[in-house]
Amino acid sequence: MVPSKEVAAAGSNALASINSTQTLKASKALLAHIKKASKEKAEASSKRNLLEETDGDSDQTIWLTLTTKRHIADKAKLQPGRIPLPHSLHASGETTVCLITADPQRAYKNIVASDEFPAELRKRVTRVIDITKLKAKYSQYEAQRKLFSEHDVFLGDDRIVNRLPKVLGKTFYKTTLKRPVPVVLKPRARRVDGKKTKPQKKEGEANAGTPAEIAKEIEKALGSALVSLSPTTNTAVRVGFSDWAPEQLAANVEAVAAAVVDKWVPQQWRNVRSIYIKGPETAALPVWLTDELWLDGKDVIADAEGEARALRAAERAAERANVGKKRKTVDATEQAEPPATKKAKKAVKKEDKPKPDSNDDKLDKQISDRKARLRRAKDTAKKAAEE
């Protein structure tokens, strides 16, 4: 267990940041384990796994996983975002970029091809496509898979990035490896006489920034980590690769953890349960764990209150069980009886008939009188036979 360093005053969102020593220690242990496991796997099997490392990277990806105490339900916080990293995930000059823009496509292609756009960055932007042509050309699953494999990074205009999941489907959004990173391609607000003013769009021109602004935005996106949250308690962010130095990985972990908690987690550190780092096939190593299991005191039910709730629930269950049953009062106490059936009704009718008196003396007299009548009848019949 790796608890938080200090807990601030009750009701405060401020907690001490994650322990740098613990982060570096976890990074060293995780990288060493991945290298050892890869070596053992290579020695055990001489056949290459063709399905391994399908994302195009020669080394395994390291993830930071953050768990919150409550679900993140704020729509504004569920919007995709990015976090600047001390060490870029796309530092290689061979990384290819697909830029998905708003309409029209030709305007953004001209911007990338202009002389004002950096030549080195232009080589990396291998495709520029707008949302309309993306729908028309890549609506089929096979076409989406081909597009997915052709580029290393996908950037999406922030004006249409929320429409891309429906267009690109599970091919891109099943994992977070190549989900489009949002970029701002519209013109920036400019200061005129000390006040910010929105640039006026001229008729027939695209609402796009200058080549220098767009190039700067693309470079920022390539040096950032994508944050794509869902309405759950778990969030995963890519922070590095298995061939990095532990110090590089630890620096990215600290930067991502601080930014995610500060910007995307409601109530910030008070709502964080744990922070881990892990590889694709490794166990998660803890970097930060909370000292408080619950967010507020109201999340914990006291014993007395819990017993009262249980009693009320039992009473309601008993009432539901007695619905449709007849009741009768016996000695001022209500007792539930099952509904009367036809057999029960016949039995009740028989019981309603008058029964003979059960007096023994009267019964004995009736028997003796009957015997006397029978004797007299026999005597009369015998005399008639003799005559």
Side-chain angles (χ1 to χ4, degrees), residues 3-15:
S4 57
K5 293 167 70 177
E6 295 178 2
V7 179
S12 172
N13 285 335
L15 291 182

Side-chain angles (χ1 to χ4, degrees), residues 293-304:
L293 184 61
W294 308 106
L295 188 62
D296 297 314
K298 64 182 180 181
D299 293 336
V300 183
I301 301 175
D303 292 342

Side-chain angles (χ1 to χ4, degrees), residues 321-343:
N322 292 331
V323 172
K325 295 182 179 181
K326 294 183 178 180
R327 295 174 178 270
K328 67 178 182 179
T329 304
V330 180
D331 297 335
T333 303
E334 289 187 357
Q335 295 181 350
E337 289 188 349
T341 61
K342 291 183 178 180
K343 291 183 178 180

Side-chain angles (χ1 to χ4, degrees), residues 147-342:
L147 179 66
F148 183 87
S149 62
E150 287 177 345
H151 305 281
D152 299 324
V153 183
F154 292 84
L155 306 180
D157 193 330
D158 66 338
R159 292 169 290 184
I160 54 94
V161 72
N162 288 334
R163 296 159 58 186
L164 295 179
K166 187 175 181 181
V167 178
L168 298 176
K170 67 178 183 180
T171 306
F172 282 78
Y173 286 85
K174 182 169 59 176
T175 66
T176 59
L177 285 175
K178 290 189 180 182
R179 290 187 185 181
V181 180
V183 289
V184 180
L185 302 182
K186 60 186 177 182
R188 296 285 186 178
R190 292 173 174 79
R191 289 187 176 275
V192 177
D193 297 332
K195 296 182 180 179
K196 283 187 176 182
T197 58
K198 293 183 179 180
Q200 297 296 325
K201 179 183 177 182
K202 296 181 180 180
E203 187 176 354
E205 291 185 359
N207 188 23
T210 64
E213 289 175 345
I214 292 178
K216 185 178 181 181
E217 187 70 12
I218 292 175
E219 289 176 350
K220 283 183 179 180
L222 293 176
S224 301
L226 173 66
V227 180
S228 183
L229 279 74
S230 58
T232 63
T233 57
N234 291 325
T235 299
V237 182
R238 276 203 303 173
V239 291
F241 299 101
S242 59
D243 64 337
W244 282 14
E247 292 77 12
Q248 291 177 308
L249 179 60
N252 278 7
V253 168
E254 292 182 9
V256 170
V260 170
V261 173
D262 183 60
K263 187 176 180 180
W264 280 276
V265 177
Q267 295 181 295
Q268 298 179 346
W269 286 100
R270 292 193 62 231
N271 193 19
V272 179
R273 183 185 293 271
S274 60
I275 298 174
Y276 297 86
I277 56 174
K278 68 183 296 295
E281 300 177 351
T282 67
L285 296 182
V287 173
W288 190 93
L289 296 177
T290 183
D291 292 327
E292 298 175 334
L293 184 61
W294 308 106
L295 188 62
D296 297 314
K298 64 182 180 181
D299 293 336
V300 183
I301 301 175
D303 292 342
E305 185 180 355
E307 292 177 359
R309 288 188 181 183
L311 181 59
R312 288 196 295 270
E315 292 176 352
R316 287 194 296 268
E319 291 176 0
R320 287 194 296 269
N322 292 331
V323 172
K325 295 182 179 181
K326 294 183 178 180
R327 295 174 178 270
K328 67 178 182 179
T329 304
V330 180
D331 297 335
T333 303
E334 289 187 357
Q335 295 181 350
E337 289 188 349
T341 61
K342 291 183 178 180

